[in-house]
């Protein structure tokens, strides 16, 4: 995964609701807006009850520190957020909010837990969902089944990895490492939408937040990756970390069925997966010790392709040219990836440190060729 | 963009931009509804340009830095046009194997270039669907056209056998450059199937243009390498001072003037009988990334520096003369001085039009300034233009102790886009 700040943005993309931030021209009208007066010590909300649907939140930062404002579900998942609201400036956030209880949170200085206000969206449930087409419903149902299946298939593989670590068997653990991550990498944007699980299981050392201590606070796959490849040993702490990893992944499996999923979030999730490839895998940053980046790469592409294929009936109708382009580019990138494995049914890919600069450039060009049209899929399915 | 700008109005990008390009080119500012000054400036400059075009150039007063340079014309803008302050140059590899896709790309690029050179965004910036990324990336919104020119070129690879069916159309004058003595070429900074030279007075406008074209091209082309340049090092407007290079010297004083029609026809534009009809009205471009050994140069005594160039450092006057533009007396210069060896009289009259820019890409791993000259030369025939001059310089130029050629590329530059139905390379693919 990428550093925590980016994860927050990713979470909002994968969240249930169609989120639009930006200019006032597109707003639903100033009178209905919720006004938030943020200062260094307060977060005043002009109303605590409002009708569900498209909601506009006008924020004014009257304090001396840069602030950020979140709308959160009761379990702290992010509905929408706006960062970097400077002192003395205003910002508008619009979001599609379903009926239910929420919190609006201001974070002066963009640090800490912030100042929370309980709010309620009233009225009919799920207006946005009711308007969905049968194709869209089918895609959402099938994608939900896919993410659940990925989590369920991943658990035994993760268990095998954890067992090897706990047995102190470095070689067996190295072998089990990359396969244990495939299901996660295929569905990562959904996992990221739960906010706290991703930083626990998939953070890299440089992704820790200020004040966190790598010795104490760094958990998950990549900490174990460092032990196995950089230090080539397993100590007692690693064995404890293995227990924590499997506990966190079990938590993920439990939550994944309840994930908020819409056609737009599936499409944006597919794009997010390619973004992960472009920023973390192509550079070799993600698996800097094990160099198994191409396994993650393949899994990200597979996850994106699955999302696209479920949406394809809608995309084909709304934008046939785009869907033709996506078919071509998925095929091209898969062909390119196949150059790096001898057996097309296995996930044994060339170690990324053996992939030369020119080959990395070719992979990067392939990712750009796919990711650019893929960024238009959400608009095509939302038409 | 500030909120007040956002509220000021919607860009009128969906009209027929070619009319804007041909007539009173509005600034991005005017387009945004800020009216007034920007529009008047654009109109005045476009009028001047139209008048000058009758004389065969698209010269605009360099002081009209915010104006638009007409996109349509007999020749591509960005060659004889008055040199702008900034450069973003990019070379692309063509990834598609499909000729029709390449043609479609060139048409899309032409349409985008027509808009951007007129100071308009390419599609929506913030008024599109909220679920979709904006079509135009937006960083040039609110900026004037800034005399943006976009000039496209076709590299030798495009004419390769069994590629796009163009093998019979490669001009003879588009030669693969020989390896000159002292060359230390990095393949990752050399070559390319296509190139686009973006010149503008505002770096953000030039960078935006290349970024936008790269984005349109993803999947069909990929950026192979690119170069940012600043501080033009040569001028096509002799009434202005010759700018200085990173060594602090004026170089290229005798450059071909953008208004000297006879010289342009003789040395820069490909003529009707020159061999490749599709290229008539076009030119050839040689691009070289020339790294300077800045630190050792800076430790060189003044007299030696002046001897190396054959001009004085203060005025830029040739040896023995008092003014920059005084006729140089070559025999007064040392036989291995740069100006003497580069002069047409030392090269059987070989003459090129230079449009080089200084570059600084930070420092290298050894703490040395990674800087030098990004050399761009246009000519009617590479074999009688750049090649003999560079052979002469590579063999004897005493400046070679302080420079190294590290990147190289050559392109055939098609003629100008005539009107709104025309596109870059139409004659080649006809």
């Amino acid at each position: 995964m990428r550093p925590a700040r980016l994860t927050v943005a990713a979470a909002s993309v994968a969240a249930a609701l169609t989120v639009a931030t930006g200019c006032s021209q597109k707003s639903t009208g100033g009178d209905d807006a919720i006004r938030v007066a943020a200062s260094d010590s307060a977060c005043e909300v002009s109303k605590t009850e409002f009708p569900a649907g498209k909601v506009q939140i006008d924020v004014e930062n009257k304090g001396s520190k840069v602030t950020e404002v979140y709308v959160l579900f009761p379990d702290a998942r992010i509905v929408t957020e706006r960062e970097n609201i400077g002192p003395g400036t205003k910002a508008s956030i619009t979001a599609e909010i379903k009926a239910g209880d929420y919190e609006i949170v201001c974070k002066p200085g963009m640090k800490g837990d912030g100042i929370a206000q309980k709010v309620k969206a009233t009225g009919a449930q799920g207006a946005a969902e009711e308007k969905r087409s049968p194709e869209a419903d089918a895609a959402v149902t099938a994608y939900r089944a896919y993410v659940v299946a990925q989590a369920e298939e991943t658990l035994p593989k993760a268990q095998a990895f954890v067992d090897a670590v706990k047995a102190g068997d470095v070689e067996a653990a190295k072998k089990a490492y990359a396969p244990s991550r495939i299901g996660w990498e295929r569905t990562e944007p959904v996992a990221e939408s739960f906010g706290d699980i991703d930083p626990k299981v998939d953070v890299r050392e440089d992704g820790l937040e200020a004040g966190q201590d790598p010795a104490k606070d760094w958990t998950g796959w990549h900490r174990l990756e460092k032990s196995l490849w950089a230090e080539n040993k397993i100590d007692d702490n690693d064995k404890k970390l293995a227990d924590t990893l499997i506990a966190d992944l079990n938590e993920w499996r439990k939550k994944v069925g309840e994930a908020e999923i819409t056609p737009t979030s599936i499409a944006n999730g597919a794009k997010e997966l390619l973004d992960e490839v472009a920023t973390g895998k192509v550079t070799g940053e993600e698996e800097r010790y094990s160099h198994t980046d191409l396994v993650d790469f393949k899994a990200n592409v597979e996850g994106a392709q699955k999302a696209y294929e479920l949406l394809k009936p809608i995309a084909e109708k709304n934008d046939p040219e785009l869907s033709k382009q996506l078919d071509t580019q998925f095929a091209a990138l898969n062909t390119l990836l196949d150059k790096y494995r001898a057996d097309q049914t296995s996930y044994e890919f060339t170690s990324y440190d053996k992939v030369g600069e020119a080959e990395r450039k070719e992979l990067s060009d392939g990712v750009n060729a796919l990711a650019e049209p893929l960024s238009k899929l959400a608009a095509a399915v939302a038409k | 963009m500030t909120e007040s700008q956002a509220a000021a109005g919607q860009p009128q990008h969906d009209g027929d931009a070619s009319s804007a390009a041909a007539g009173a080119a509005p600034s991005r500012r005017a387009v945004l509804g800020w009216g007034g000054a920007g529009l008047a400036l654009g109109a005045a400059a476009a009028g001047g340009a139209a008048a000058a075009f009758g004389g065969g150039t698209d010269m605009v007063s360099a002081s009209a830095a915010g104006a638009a340079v007409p996109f349509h014309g007999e020749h591509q803008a960005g060659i004889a046009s008055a040199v702008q302050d900034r450069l973003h140059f990019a070379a692309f590899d063509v990834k598609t194997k499909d000729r029709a896709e390449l043609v479609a790309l060139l048409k899309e690029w032409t349409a985008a270039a027509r808009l951007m050179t007129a100071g308009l965004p390419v599609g929506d910036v913030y008024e599109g669907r909220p679920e979709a990324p904006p079509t135009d990336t937006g960083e040039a919104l609110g900026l004037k056209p800034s005399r943006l020119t976009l000039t496209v070129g076709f590299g030798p690879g495009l004419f390769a056998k069994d590629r796009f069916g163009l093998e019979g159309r490669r001009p003879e004058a588009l030669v693969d450059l020989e390896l000159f003595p002292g060359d230390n070429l990095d393949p990752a900074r050399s070559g390319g199937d296509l190139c686009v030279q973006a010149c503008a007075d505002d770096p953000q406008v030039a960078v935006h243009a290349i970024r936008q074209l790269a984005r349109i091209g993803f999947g069909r082309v990929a950026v192979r390498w690119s170069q940012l340049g600043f501080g033009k090092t040569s001028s096509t407007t002799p009434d202005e001072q010759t700018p200085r290079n990173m060594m602090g010297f004026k170089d290229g004083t005798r450059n071909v003037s953008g208004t000297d029609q006879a010289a342009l026809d003789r040395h820069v534009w490909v003529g009707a009988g020159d061999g490749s009809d599709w290229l008539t009205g076009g030119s050839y471009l040689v691009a070289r990334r020339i790294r300077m050994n800045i630190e050792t140069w800076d430790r060189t005594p003044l007299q030696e520096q002046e001897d190396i160039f054959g001009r004085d450092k203060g005025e830029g006057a040739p040896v023995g003369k008092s003014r920059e533009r005084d006729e140089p007396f070559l025999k007064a210069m040392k036989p291995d001085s740069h100006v003497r060896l580069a002069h047409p009289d030392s090269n059987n009259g070989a003459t090129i039009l230079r449009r080089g820019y200084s570059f600084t890409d930070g420092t290298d791993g050894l703490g040395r300034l990674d800087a030098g000259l990004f050399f761009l030369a246009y000519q009617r025939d590479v074999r009688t233009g750049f090649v003999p001059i560079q052979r002469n310089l590579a063999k004897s130029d005493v400046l070679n102790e302080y420079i190294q050629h590290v990147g190289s590329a050559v392109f055939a530059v098609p003629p100008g886009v005539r009107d709104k139905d025309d596109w870059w390379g139409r004659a080649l693919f006809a």
Side-chain angles (χ1 to χ4, degrees), chain A residues 16-97:
Chain A
L17 309 160
T18 312
V19 172
T21 55
C23 1
S24 51
Q25 305 167 17
K26 288 182 296 192
S27 74
T28 49
D31 289 350
D32 299 332
I34 304 161
R35 281 180 298 282
V36 176
S39 68
D40 295 348
S41 55
C43 184
E44 288 164 22
V45 178
S46 66
K47 46 184 143 183
T48 55
E49 276 200 22
F50 49 86
K54 200 163 194 182
V55 174
Q56 179 179 337
I57 301 161
D58 292 335
V59 182
E60 182 171 9
N61 183 2
K62 296 176 172 169
S64 65
K65 295 176 187 166
V66 178
T67 192
E68 56 194 8
V69 173
Y70 293 86
V71 180
L72 301 178
F73 288 109
D75 62 358
R77 280 175 301 123
I78 298 160
V79 178
T80 183
E81 44 100 27
R82 179 73 175 255
E83 295 172 353
N84 284 315
I85 305 168
T89 65
K90 296 177 181 177
S92 290
I93 313 170
T94 60
E96 194 81 32
I97 296 183

Side-chain angles (χ1 to χ4, degrees), chain A residues 203-222:
Chain A
V203 73
R204 300 193 303 256
E205 191 166 9
D206 47 51
L208 294 175
E209 287 180 34
Q212 285 190 310
D213 176 4
K216 288 208 312 280
D217 303 321
W218 187 20
T219 58
W221 271 304
H222 293 300

Side-chain angles (χ1 to χ4, degrees), chain B residues 12-86:
Chain B
Q12 302 152 359
H13 61 82
D14 49 359
D16 180 5
S18 61
S19 61
S27 70
R28 290 179 174 85
R29 206 174 266 252
V31 166
L32 277 171
W34 291 2
L39 184 61
L41 179 59
F53 188 71
T57 76
D58 53 359
M59 236 193 75
V60 291
S61 160
S63 61
V69 177
F71 179 66
H72 294 141
E74 183 184 356
H75 311 292
Q76 287 197 65
I79 302 172
S81 322
V83 181
Q84 304 90 325
D85 289 335
R86 303 291 181 138

